[in-house]
Amino acid sequence: MAAAKMTTGYDFEKFESTSPRARAGEAAPQRKQPKQEPLKKVEKKNSQQKKRESRKAAYNSAFILFFAAVMLGVLCLQISAGAKRYELSRQIASIEAKIEIAKSENVRLSSELNSITSIGKIDDYATKILGMSKIESYQVEYIELSDGDRVIYSSDRGLLNIFN
């Protein structure tokens, strides 16, 4: 296809007012202008007024700086408290893990101790390794104590004197 020469135009009649007044040839009503108030005269300020205003501005800026410093301090405290809380919770978790390991070690050692100190194992060790035998009934002797008997400890027994 051959390139067509494009021409664009605007129909300005569409932008014209289609009100009955415009068709009759009347001019469009004009907008009301807002009333302009007379400008106020700026009075010159004396030195006391200038000092008061500058002092007030200084107080305001000092207050804003103080408030900003306080808020920054609170923010820093919040951050440090959060970091401390995190560190403490990490330490607690570490200690709890160590406690669990210690508890499981305690269970293991208790079962090992129970297996070593069982009556059957002690009996086997005494008879087989130490060469001991069970007591016979003729080897048992009973001692009767009457009311007049008593036990006397001598004072020359060394470390046993501590407990008297």
Side-chain angles (χ1 to χ4, degrees), residues 72-90:
L72 183 64
V74 168
L75 180 66
C76 290
L77 287 175
Q78 287 289 333
I79 291 171
S80 68
K84 185 74 169 178
R85 189 178 319 120
Y86 172 75
E87 180 64 28
L88 289 176
S89 64
R90 194 179 63 76

Side-chain angles (χ1 to χ4, degrees), residues 47-156:
S47 63
Q48 281 185 337
Q49 289 174 335
K50 288 180 183 179
K51 283 182 183 178
R52 273 191 230 131
E53 286 181 1
S54 65
R55 204 176 295 142
K56 187 176 180 181
Y59 286 139
N60 287 341
S61 61
F63 176 76
I64 289 171
L65 285 175
F66 175 74
F67 185 74
V70 167
M71 295 311 287
L72 183 64
V74 168
L75 180 66
C76 290
L77 287 175
Q78 287 289 333
I79 291 171
S80 68
K84 185 74 169 178
R85 189 178 319 120
Y86 172 75
E87 180 64 28
L88 289 176
S89 64
R90 194 179 63 76
Q91 287 177 356
I92 288 170
S94 172
I95 290 172
E96 285 175 348
K98 289 178 183 177
I99 288 172
E100 289 302 316
I101 291 171
K103 283 181 180 179
S104 65
E105 182 71 13
N106 183 29
V107 168
R108 186 188 67 79
L109 291 174
S110 294
S111 65
E112 186 178 330
L113 178 67
N114 288 337
S115 70
I116 292 172
T117 59
S118 68
I119 299 294
K121 292 249 183 178
I122 292 173
D123 189 30
D124 287 343
Y125 184 78
T127 56
K128 292 178 182 171
I129 295 176
L130 296 177
M132 299 176 126
S133 62
K134 289 189 179 184
I135 193 166
E136 299 292 329
S137 62
Y138 68 89
Q139 294 174 327
V140 176
E141 290 184 27
Y142 295 101
I143 301 174
E144 279 193 42
L145 295 175
S146 61
D147 292 334
D149 293 337
R150 61 184 177 174
V151 177
I152 299 174
Y153 294 104
S154 67
S155 63
D156 61 343

